[in-house]
Amino acid sequence: MNERISEIRRFFVSDKAQKKYRRSLNWDELVNKEEFYSLTDAEKMTLVFEILLANEEPVVFGFDRIPFIRTAVNFPYELFAPISAARPMHENGMLSNICVDIMSLAGAGFNNKIKDIEERQTRESDNCKRKYLKCMKRSLTAILGLTERYRERAEKCGNAYVADMLSRVPAEPPRTFAEALVCLRIVHYAMWCSGCYPNTLGRFDNYMYEYYTRDVGSGELTEEDALELIEEFFLSCNKDSDIYIGVQQGDNGQSIVLGGRDENGRSAYSRLSELCLTAALELKLIDPKINLRVDKNTPMSVYRLGTELTKTGLGFPQYLNDDTNIKALLRWGYELKDACNYSAAACWEIILPGCGMEIPNIGALSFAGAAEQAIRLGLEQKLDFDGIMDLVKSDIDAQIEAISERTKGIYIIPAPFHSIMMEGCIENARDCTEGSKYNNYGVHGAGIATAADSLAAVKKYIFDEKSVAPSELLKALADNFEGHDRLFHKLRFDAPKMGRDAQADLAADVLLNYFADSLAKERNDCGGIYRAGTGSAMFYIRFGENLPATADGRRAGEPV
């Protein structure tokens, strides 16, 4: 990290100097609610977007090459509360956790997209669709208006570099690596301003590669210059990250994916990928979160660099296994070119750029709850171990049916700006929330280790060794292990554990197959499938709070 980047890092990350420019908007003064609620939902979103951008105060610093900070910070989610109250929603009802084809806009130039929309309007006779296309165009016009005010501000404060840059982009297609990064920053910034969240950046090294290689090949850009630009772009993700919706910083969706292979089996890991890892290592910041796609042919040097990042304690890179993931996506019905282009959601789930209108975390199944109930009922009814496993399977089926029922009729508030970057939306004059090429839901299987460990302990001590009587275990569980210290220690520390012992790993394998097979029978009302995935995330607390003591030596109320 050079001195300039070090100073920018200090300014935005350590000193948080950008905070003094922030203010909250008074939406009661800015919106006539009677008129607002007479609009379509797409028009509501567009109007709020226009108002927010119109009230952004351009701020340009002398050191800026990649500008834009948030000054109007409060999106009026409360204005959409009546919609949320009237219809079943996912989370707060806004579009979230999808990966748009961001360079389909940032790389094309806004003027060209506006022409595409206008041309489509001339061919549309349906008034509702014409209104919707107008919302798309208004969104782009609003961003161009703010960009022009930023250009004027840069000129006024003497930053000729930014003023010159914004005189061309994002209105016109970027010609250089630097211009492409500025376009990307503006589009990503606007995505957050729209109220949608978390906004992932997708396969950054893949879509930026042509700009990087062209500039380096022509001699216009050195690798040192490229690293500096990448680091400034990464810093731009931290200017406003504290105001973004997320479980915590680092899970607000500003994740990027590096590497991976294409549909011809060729590796997409490049020198640009390596520079991105180096930038993250030098900056040591949580945003953007790095996801690294690897396979059996990935060189050890990639893992060495990734490990250096892991040693910093940032919690990434997360590794995505192409050998497994592409095969799974093909089995689920994804086309090869799409499967090979997969990206990662805010957390870790697999999502498809530009063509996946999917909810990767629509619900969660409690493996721990299924195992706890089955063990307790099975021992009370004097069933054998196979009988207990039948109860587990029945409980998993029941949970899946309930999840499927709860997710019917999900409504997502339209997102005209995001839809510009989703496949077929301009051509069909349709919002992406109405469906895309893939409309699948993802369900978490949570607490797998608690369940597998509990079942392995019961099989070993009660049915195989017969060293623990069923009545003894039932009494210990009912007493939350109070007064049962010896058995508690045996179950908590000596019993088979997932990841360490074959018995527990086998139980986990069986549980995951039950889960996948049960979900395979379901279809959502968008015509998509339910994808089985593992991960306890926030559920390790939620599912643990009301769960009684379990046979792995976990006490009641403890996290799974």
Side-chain angles (χ1 to χ4, degrees):
M1 175 179 8
N2 64 28
E3 186 175 343
R4 176 177 171 274
I5 293 298
S6 181
E7 282 301 302
I8 297 174
R9 188 188 190 285
R10 177 193 57 76
F11 188 84
F12 287 119
V13 178
S14 301
D15 297 348
K16 299 191 183 301
Q18 69 273 30
K19 283 191 172 183
K20 72 177 183 180
Y21 299 98
R22 293 177 179 172
R23 72 192 195 285
S24 292
L25 301 181
N26 186 337
W27 286 96
D28 287 335
E29 293 180 357
L30 293 169
V31 173
N32 180 318
K33 291 187 178 178
E34 185 176 341
E35 293 179 4
F36 181 80
Y37 289 116
S38 69
L39 302 173
T40 66
D41 290 351
E43 289 173 325
K44 293 185 183 83
M45 281 291 288
T46 305
L47 177 61
V48 166
F49 186 57
E50 289 173 323
I51 292 172
L52 193 147
L53 292 186
N55 281 275
E56 280 284 357
E57 186 66 34
V59 178
V60 179
F61 303 102
F63 54 72
D64 272 333
R65 290 188 186 178
I66 302 176
F68 280 70
I69 63 170
R70 291 289 296 275
T71 59
V73 298
N74 59 320
F75 187 89
Y77 291 104
E78 65 278 4
L79 287 175
F80 298 89
I83 305 171
S84 301
R87 308 180 73 163
M89 297 280 185
H90 176 60
E91 296 181 355
N92 72 358
M94 298 291 170
L95 180 68
S96 68
N97 228 357
I98 69 165
C99 185
V100 298
D101 181 0
I102 198 165
M103 289 308 286
S104 68
L105 174 58
F110 281 32
N111 286 345
N112 288 327
K113 279 295 176 183
I114 288 173
K115 288 177 184 175
D116 289 344
I117 294 167
E118 289 175 339
E119 191 277 330
R120 181 64 185 83
Q121 281 179 303
T122 62
R123 295 186 286 108
E124 184 54 64
S125 58
D126 185 290
N127 190 49
C128 291
K129 290 189 174 184
R130 287 179 62 83
K131 275 187 176 182
Y132 180 76
L133 289 165
K134 186 177 180 181
C135 288
M136 285 181 160
K137 181 180 175 180
R138 285 168 57 190
S139 299
L140 295 179
T141 303
I143 301 167
L144 288 175
L146 177 59
T147 301
E148 174 58 19
R149 289 191 285 123
Y150 256 91
R151 188 200 63 77
E152 292 170 355
R153 179 62 187 164
E155 197 170 69
K156 189 173 181 180
C157 74
N159 190 327
Y161 179 93
V162 168
D164 181 59
M165 182 80 71
L166 297 182
S167 69
R168 295 191 303 276
V169 297
E172 301 302 326
R175 303 168 303 179
T176 65
F177 187 65
E179 288 184 355
L181 284 173
V182 170
C183 288
L184 183 60
R185 168 62 183 161
I186 293 170
V187 172
H188 192 234
Y189 166 96
M191 287 163 67
W192 282 110
C193 290
S194 74
C196 299
Y197 68 99
N199 295 299
T200 67
L201 286 157
R203 300 184 69 191
F204 178 87
D205 59 342
N206 191 269
Y207 57 69
M208 291 299 297
Y209 186 69
E210 65 173 292
Y211 301 100
Y212 165 78
T213 53
R214 188 165 59 207
D215 284 6
V216 170
S218 69
E220 183 169 334
L221 191 73
T222 66
E223 287 196 346
E224 291 75 17
D225 294 334
L227 178 61
E228 183 177 345
L229 284 167
I230 292 166
E231 288 183 340
E232 185 168 353
F233 178 78
F234 282 9
L235 281 166
S236 76
C237 294
N238 291 269
K239 292 177 179 178
D240 313 306
S241 56
D242 58 305
I243 66 172
Y244 295 158
I245 291 177
V247 175
Q248 58 191 357
Q249 203 163 349
D251 270 327
N252 52 29
Q254 298 191 112
S255 59
I256 67 173
V257 173
L258 303 175
R261 63 174 182 251
D262 64 20
E263 59 187 293
N264 297 310
R266 294 187 296 256
S267 172
Y269 185 85
S270 66
R271 178 58 181 153
L272 179 56
S273 315
E274 195 169 294
L275 287 174
C276 290
L277 290 172
T278 302
L281 182 60
E282 290 189 355
L283 291 170
K284 294 180 175 58
L285 295 172
I286 295 174
D287 286 310
K289 181 166 66 178
I290 308 294
N291 296 270
L292 190 55
R293 281 179 51 176
V294 296
D295 60 32
K296 62 186 178 184
N297 298 316
T298 298
M300 188 55 64
S301 59
V302 176
Y303 291 106
R304 287 196 185 100
L305 186 52
T307 301
E308 289 299 319
L309 256 178
T310 301
K311 283 163 61 179
T312 66
L314 292 169
F316 59 68
Q318 296 186 137
Y319 292 95
L320 303 167
N321 184 348
D322 277 11
D323 294 324
T324 299
N325 293 337
I326 293 173
K327 188 186 299 182
L329 289 166
L330 292 173
R331 190 175 65 247
W332 276 327
Y334 293 83
E335 291 182 16
L336 178 62
K337 67 181 179 66
D338 297 325
C340 291
N341 194 38
Y342 77 86
S343 186
C347 295
W348 65 83
E349 304 93 337
I350 291 172
I351 54 179
L352 279 291
C355 61
M357 185 50 243
E358 305 182 296
I359 303 177
N361 56 350
I362 195 76
L365 171 136
S366 176
F367 281 121
E372 184 278 328
Q373 180 168 277
I375 289 169
R376 181 168 42 81
L377 291 176
L379 294 181
E380 287 173 352
Q381 297 171 16
K382 296 182 173 53
L383 300 179
D384 60 13
F385 189 73
D386 287 344
I388 289 175
M389 292 306 295
D390 287 341
L391 290 179
V392 172
K393 188 175 185 305
S394 295
D395 189 277
I396 287 173
D397 286 340
Q399 287 192 58
I400 293 302
E401 287 179 15
I403 290 169
S404 178
E405 190 61 33
R406 286 196 303 271
T407 55
K408 288 180 179 176
I410 292 289
Y411 178 71
I412 300 173
I413 296 166
F417 177 57
H418 281 63
S419 296
I420 293 168
M421 297 171 277
M422 292 293 285
E423 185 178 308
C425 288
I426 294 176
E427 293 84 345
N428 296 308
R430 186 177 69 177
D431 196 85
C432 66
T433 61
E434 296 178 38
S436 190
K437 187 174 183 178
Y438 304 106
N439 304 286
N440 303 324
Y441 293 162
V443 179
H444 291 291
I448 183 68
T450 297
D453 293 353
S454 296
L455 291 165
V458 166
K459 187 173 190 309
K460 178 177 181 179
Y461 296 133
I462 291 182
F463 293 102
D464 294 345
E465 295 182 359
K466 296 183 171 54
S467 58
V468 176
S471 58
E472 180 186 0
L473 177 59
L474 287 170
K475 183 71 166 64
L477 293 174
D479 294 341
N480 200 25
F481 294 110
E482 294 298 327
H484 303 270
D485 294 348
R486 187 181 297 275
L487 180 56
F488 170 75
H489 188 282
K490 184 175 188 175
L491 295 173
R492 189 150 181 141
F493 302 109
D494 299 335
K497 301 298 176 187
M498 183 178 166
R500 187 186 73 187
D501 300 294
Q503 304 101 309
D505 289 349
L506 178 60
D509 192 50
V510 172
L511 289 170
L512 290 169
N513 279 314
Y514 285 171
F515 178 38
D517 290 345
S518 186
L519 275 180
K521 295 180 288 189
E522 303 290 338
R523 289 290 182 275
N524 65 39
D525 54 3
C526 300
I529 63 169
Y530 288 87
R531 300 185 336 198
T534 60
S536 295
M538 71 290 291
F539 301 109
Y540 74 97
I541 293 175
R542 292 182 192 169
F543 286 164
E545 285 176 333
N546 300 311
L547 188 67
T550 47
D552 62 333
R554 180 195 142 275
R555 296 186 188 276
E558 287 185 343
V560 299

